[in-house]
Amino acid sequence: MTFQPRLRTAALAAAAAASCLASALAAQQALPIDPPLAFPGTSYAASVPAPEVVLGVRVGQRHARPDELVTYARLVASAAPDRVRVQEHGRTVEGRPLVHAIVTSPANMARLDEIRRANLRLSDDPAGATDAMLGTMPVVVYLGYSVHGNEASGSDASLLVLYHLAAGRGPAVDSLLERAVVIIEPSINPDGRSRFVDWVTWNRGAVPTSDPADREHVEPWPGGRFNHWLADPNRDWLPAQFPEAQARLRLYHDWRPHVLADLHEMGSDQTYFFQPGVPSRVNPNTPERTFQLTAELAQYHARALDRIGSLYFTKQQYDDFYYGKGSTYPDINGAVGILFEQASSRALLRETAFGPLAYGFTVRNQVVGSLTTVEGAVAMREKLLRHQRDFYREALQPAAKAPQGWLLPLTGDASRARALVELLQRHRVRVHALAKAVTVGAETFRPGEAVAIPAAQPQRRLLTAAMERVSQYRDSVFYDISTWTLPLAFGVRSAEAPLLPGDALGAEVRPEALDGPRLAGAPARVAYALEPQRAGLPRAVVRLLAAGVIPLVSREPFTAVAAGERRTFARGTVLVPVTGRATDAPPADSVHALVRRLVEEERLLASGLDAGLAADGPDLGGLSSIPLQPVRAAIVAGEGQPATEVGEAWHLLTVRAGLDASLLEASRLSAATLPRYTALLLTGALPGGRDGAARQALDAWVRAGGTLVATGAGARWAIEAGIAEEKVKPLPADSLRRGFADAREFSAAQELAGAILEANADPTHPIAFGLDAKLPVFRDDTLAFEPSKQPGANVLVLGAEPRLSGWVPARAMAALKQSAALIARRSGRGRVVLVADNPDFRAFWRGTERLLLNAVLLAPAY
């Protein structure tokens, strides 16, 4: 099915000035068709170009490329500047612009910044936002399309929505734009969409095929869902680790919309979903009023879809729990987020249980959902404005039995504390220096040694959701993860402050001041000692090796004189000799300059040492100082590998550590190619099991000296394939019989939906260098290892009661408790590292990402 944009833009009709939608012809399931459309009293300005001017065809006849979406938005803005303003709010990793169009009436456009600033008062100064003020303000609606790049119908729908609002003339459109500011983000993930559109366009024949086995319908790995780093951008609203989310948050908080529509696609054999979701699966930090407004908005979607005969569902499958999703993040920011999920045709036509599904039909439903969101928001304008104002008024009131704030000590790795503060500030959370000492329990936090985060601030609800540990739930089934406690994720200690006096709060902090670098005793005569706890140390090691410097890692603590004082250095301290013994070693002046740069740029703690003789412990040149070697790392990628975990490892090694890491297809694992690499990361199973050629080549490479780091499904495969001798702990059997109606829910409730467990680390093992003896680890799988019988191999072991936060089913806990979470053992001359979980989950689990970096960089030390 296709669209004729202009008077027949979509199969919708206006019933009155307050409603965009009244009736439409039933959709047909054939290509191409041209559904007539009539908006009574509405005409379309000839000066505003229709989408086919850019596409060359009508919307729905092919998938629009990201550059075409941007070109069209800018073309419309130049044709209708009194209604449309297009701005760029960021760039993707691949350099594509992230743009949004702001659409409103000419009168509103003339005072747009005044409207924006007035809207910010609802959250910044809710006490000053009177009911009379609300009566004059427009509602702000954010329409976000196709955050998953291969869920394409949303972005194509955005073309028609933009055209209709920009070109439409008459009461139906005018009344909406007088009362609303509409923000349209046509492609939230243009890198992923580009990957998808290239594939389907390349594989499309002259006649669209509905065959789901056709290449057009079957994307190759990794597909267009993910961004450049293979991350899911719809899970990154709260963690905000990638450029798309960081740019989107700037836009979001610059406007603070009242309604956000998040338009997705789902399986082809479904219909059309819009929220509310499952009633029992909501986050308790979201006020009940949010869900009441969501249900009221749903009536507008339902009525319009009923008129055109489109089936839909609500209150099933999807939930409102994890605040990292686009439809849920607004809920914790005083707005209403609406998830739309359209059954996907992926290509232009697809066979489904309901009959052939045309791409034009999917686009039409997304146009309906977009326009009914605007229509409903305008009709509910004062309710939505009042909701946001009251949301922030209530946030400033003290909550019963809640902490008055949190304290973050800056001891240990202050650079991770800095990263956490930077993240919180992206969400408008206020973080203060301490003006005086505060005591919590037996611990005293002093100025300069900790920062304070007061609960009494507008973002109290979001702050609580970010900091709290959760153990009680209304439901035991989760669409996404059940917990995400940010201090635990970043590996930063935090303390709840039952009392936080106002005079204890100093100025708001600048994050860059929290982890100031320190270089004592420069220039060194013999060596520099780089302390292990700073997160930038692995990247510094990579840079040293690239410069031709051979650093050493100390496997034992030692005491030496630095800047005239005796200092004790922990295991994992990296020693940088001033003079190398190789003939091509950099001269001493270059080493001094390099260390100064590294200390400043990587935020290190370093000391210059003037003697190789230790005051206590092993000498600098002793047997416990192990020289490190250049690393050539590869990550197994391609079919069969979990794309997000591959992407997280790729991002960690190349962006955060600065390594030249290769993505290696499983089919390339051979005796000829593997010797090129010193370390290999495996996140999924390899084909062929014990008898596969890849397995044979990999086993031989490890025994010859390679380091295999296998996580999650990759670790399970390594055990099953016999590369590692360890055993997996089985789940206890379920002795109860389940009826058909209960079986699915019961199975879902047994899943480990993202929990945080405490692991005991072996601080003497090089993989644990720079980390605390007790580590919060994230688990979203029940994989558990029997502790290894090889001495010194158990790097992380869970305790008898390991849960820190999150839902853990009883059967899962029985297997997980006292299991090994990370095992590192020798195999021939090489090493096998088995990790039960993903230490770099979604790139924001900063507290354990060091485990992977140590496993790769410090291999000579273990």
Side-chain angles (χ1 to χ4, degrees):
M1 175 177 177
T2 60
F3 283 87
Q4 176 67 36
R6 297 194 182 277
L7 291 182
R8 296 168 293 175
T9 303
L12 310 171
S19 174
C20 266
L21 308 170
S23 63
L25 297 180
Q28 300 178 41
Q29 301 290 339
L31 284 170
I33 73 167
D34 186 17
L37 213 222
F39 287 93
T42 301
S43 61
Y44 288 81
S47 60
V48 179
E52 68 260 31
V53 170
V54 170
L55 300 183
V57 297
R58 291 173 300 185
V59 174
Q61 287 186 310
R62 68 173 177 83
H63 299 85
R65 301 190 310 268
D67 62 288
E68 292 172 323
L69 298 171
V70 174
T71 297
Y72 181 67
R74 289 174 172 163
L75 196 62
V76 170
S78 64
D82 60 336
R83 282 196 180 197
V84 181
R85 181 178 298 177
V86 170
Q87 297 172 325
E88 182 177 314
H89 55 275
R91 289 262 166 170
T92 70
V93 173
E94 296 174 15
R96 293 184 175 85
L98 296 163
V99 304
H100 63 278
I102 300 174
V103 190
T104 191
S105 69
N108 288 340
M109 189 63 74
R111 60 185 191 95
L112 191 62
D113 194 57
E114 177 188 337
I115 291 172
R116 186 188 66 83
R117 285 185 281 108
N119 189 56
L120 299 187
R121 287 190 64 187
L122 301 183
S123 48
D124 289 343
D125 180 26
T130 64
D131 287 346
M133 173 183 166
L134 301 185
T136 65
M137 293 173 59
V139 67
V140 180
V141 182
Y142 190 133
L143 303 176
Y145 294 96
S146 301
V147 66
H148 298 135
N150 58 4
E151 298 178 6
S153 59
S155 288
D156 279 290
S158 77
L159 297 169
L160 298 173
V161 173
L162 177 59
Y163 174 75
H164 175 67
L165 295 178
R169 299 293 184 268
V173 176
D174 293 347
S175 64
L176 291 182
L177 297 186
E178 287 167 5
R179 295 167 174 81
V181 173
V182 182
I183 302 170
I184 297 174
E185 188 174 7
S187 179
I188 299 175
N189 177 15
D191 287 355
R193 183 177 180 88
S194 178
R195 197 181 309 129
F196 167 75
V197 173
D198 284 351
W199 175 260
V200 294
T201 303
W202 176 40
N203 286 283
R204 181 172 300 139
V207 178
T209 176
S210 63
D211 179 6
D214 179 74
R215 277 170 61 86
E216 184 185 357
H217 291 263
V218 185
E219 292 177 84
W221 189 97
R225 177 181 179 88
F226 310 111
N227 70 0
H228 173 86
W229 294 116
L230 308 186
D232 185 337
N234 193 45
R235 303 298 188 270
D236 199 34
W237 280 77
L238 186 65
Q241 297 299 299
F242 297 99
E244 297 89 350
Q246 293 173 8
R248 192 165 64 241
L249 285 176
R250 288 192 294 271
L251 170 62
Y252 184 94
H253 289 295
D254 200 39
W255 271 100
R256 301 175 205 169
H258 309 110
V259 177
L260 184 147
D262 189 25
L263 293 100
H264 290 249
E265 290 182 352
M266 58 183 170
S268 301
D269 289 327
Q270 300 186 73
T271 57
Y272 193 51
F273 169 85
F274 50 87
Q275 283 175 319
V278 180
S280 61
R281 300 173 195 167
V282 297
N283 197 302
N285 290 295
T286 303
E288 181 61 30
R289 186 174 61 246
T290 304
F291 306 117
Q292 295 168 356
L293 292 168
T294 301
E296 187 173 343
L297 273 170
Q299 297 176 26
Y300 292 85
H301 316 316
R303 284 196 294 266
L305 292 164
D306 287 342
R307 291 178 190 124
I308 63 173
S310 280
L311 295 176
Y312 54 84
F313 67 98
T314 64
K315 299 187 287 292
Q316 291 179 295
Q317 187 166 325
Y318 300 98
D319 68 21
D320 290 277
F321 192 81
Y322 172 51
Y323 290 128
K325 297 186 299 180
S327 61
T328 316
Y329 184 78
D331 295 347
I332 199 65
N333 283 277
V336 176
I338 307 293
L339 171 66
F340 292 92
E341 293 276 357
Q342 166 60 47
S344 180
S345 66
R346 279 295 189 266
L348 292 184
L349 194 65
R350 186 182 180 92
E351 298 170 9
T352 77
F354 292 90
L357 177 62
Y359 185 54
F361 178 92
T362 71
V363 173
R364 185 191 66 162
N365 275 352
Q366 302 281 42
V367 172
V368 171
S370 301
L371 294 181
T372 54
T373 298
V374 180
E375 176 195 8
V378 167
M380 299 166 56
R381 181 181 61 85
E382 288 199 44
K383 290 182 182 179
L384 293 164
L385 292 169
R386 189 175 297 110
H387 167 66
Q388 187 163 106
R389 180 200 62 186
D390 293 349
F391 179 96
Y392 284 102
R393 278 185 179 177
E394 294 160 5
L396 294 173
Q397 299 171 4
K401 299 181 180 179
Q404 289 193 6
W406 289 264
L407 296 162
L408 303 181
L410 300 177
T411 53
D413 185 3
S415 53
R416 290 204 300 268
R418 170 188 174 172
L420 176 56
V421 169
E422 286 176 333
L423 173 57
L424 292 173
Q425 290 180 339
R426 286 193 184 107
H427 298 290
R428 301 185 5 253
V429 171
R430 299 169 184 169
V431 183
H432 295 260
L434 274 179
K436 71 175 188 179
V438 175
T439 299
V440 177
E443 187 171 9
T444 298
F445 300 86
R446 295 179 173 81
E449 298 178 359
V451 295
I453 311 173
Q457 59 173 297
Q459 289 293 72
R460 175 176 64 82
R461 284 191 171 105
L462 183 146
L463 175 60
T464 300
M467 304 292 285
E468 67 183 351
R469 301 187 187 191
V470 185
S471 58
Q472 301 295 321
Y473 297 88
R474 288 179 58 187
D475 202 321
S476 57
V477 178
F478 303 86
Y479 185 76
D480 200 78
I481 58 178
S482 71
T483 186
W484 50 86
T485 311
L486 292 184
L488 297 179
F490 279 72
V492 175
R493 280 199 313 117
S494 66
E496 291 186 353
L499 295 174
L500 189 60
D503 60 355
L505 300 179
E508 289 193 53
V509 301
R510 293 181 299 106
E512 61 271 18
L514 300 181
D515 64 340
R518 187 197 69 203
L519 176 56
R525 182 181 303 167
V526 174
Y528 290 94
L530 312 182
E531 298 187 35
Q533 64 266 42
R534 285 294 175 92
L537 184 61
R539 187 179 178 90
V541 168
V542 172
R543 293 178 64 180
L544 287 165
L545 290 166
V549 176
I550 304 298
L552 300 90
V553 62
S554 175
R555 292 195 298 194
E556 298 293 337
F558 65 93
T559 300
V561 176
E565 297 181 359
R566 287 169 58 101
R567 290 181 54 84
T568 297
F569 296 91
R571 288 185 174 88
T573 296
V574 170
L575 300 170
V576 184
V578 170
T579 304
R581 67 186 187 188
T583 56
D584 58 350
D589 287 348
S590 296
V591 174
H592 294 311
L594 176 58
V595 169
R596 285 195 297 270
R597 287 199 304 275
L598 292 177
V599 168
E600 181 65 33
E601 294 168 6
E602 306 301 341
R603 320 295 288 181
L604 303 179
L605 299 177
S607 300
L609 307 181
D610 291 337
L613 187 67
D616 191 22
D619 299 326
L620 272 58
L623 300 180
S624 62
S625 297
I626 310 300
L628 301 178
Q629 302 300 322
V631 171
R632 182 75 180 182
I635 305 159
V636 181
E639 295 298 335
Q641 301 302 306
T644 54
E645 293 183 28
V646 170
E648 286 152 7
W650 188 30
H651 177 264
L652 175 65
L653 293 185
T654 61
V655 173
R656 291 191 176 147
L659 270 174
D660 176 14
S662 301
L663 295 180
L664 189 64
E665 291 282 339
S667 60
R668 302 284 295 172
L669 298 181
S670 68
T673 58
L674 281 173
R676 175 181 179 85
Y677 307 103
T678 61
L680 187 73
L681 271 68
L682 179 66
T683 60
L686 295 180
R690 283 180 174 267
D691 300 325
R695 184 266 181 210
Q696 307 298 333
L698 188 58
D699 190 39
W701 171 79
V702 169
R703 293 182 180 278
T707 299
L708 173 65
V709 182
T711 64
R716 185 187 294 274
W717 175 87
I719 291 172
E720 293 173 349
I723 288 182
E725 299 177 4
E726 275 59 44
K727 296 180 180 179
V728 173
K729 290 183 69 175
L731 279 173
D734 175 31
S735 60
L736 299 179
R737 299 180 65 181
R738 308 287 168 182
F740 178 80
D742 300 329
R744 184 173 181 179
E745 285 288 302
F746 174 77
S747 296
Q750 302 312 303
E751 294 178 2
L752 187 61
I756 306 172
L757 308 179
E758 186 175 70
N760 300 307
D762 176 0
T764 70
H765 198 288
I767 290 180
F769 284 172
L771 298 171
D772 294 334
K774 291 187 179 295
L775 287 180
V777 297
F778 188 85
R779 299 298 302 269
D780 60 356
D781 190 277
T782 55
L783 175 63
F785 307 135
E786 297 281 2
S788 177
K789 296 180 180 179
Q790 188 176 88
N794 297 306
V795 182
L796 295 182
V797 178
L798 302 180
E801 298 293 337
R803 185 176 71 165
L804 294 174
S805 185
W807 169 254
V808 183
R811 293 176 66 214
M813 182 59 78
L816 290 168
K817 63 183 182 180
Q818 297 180 316
S819 67
L822 192 155
I823 296 172
R825 67 192 315 278
R826 293 299 298 265
S827 179
R829 299 203 316 251
R831 304 148 199 88
V832 175
V833 179
L834 304 173
V835 192
D837 48 73
N838 177 10
D840 189 34
F841 179 73
R842 292 183 182 167
F844 81 98
W845 214 261
R846 305 297 299 271
T848 52
E849 67 181 16
R850 182 72 172 272
L851 295 167
L852 286 183
L853 297 177
N854 284 350
V856 170
L857 295 174
L858 305 186
Y862 66 93

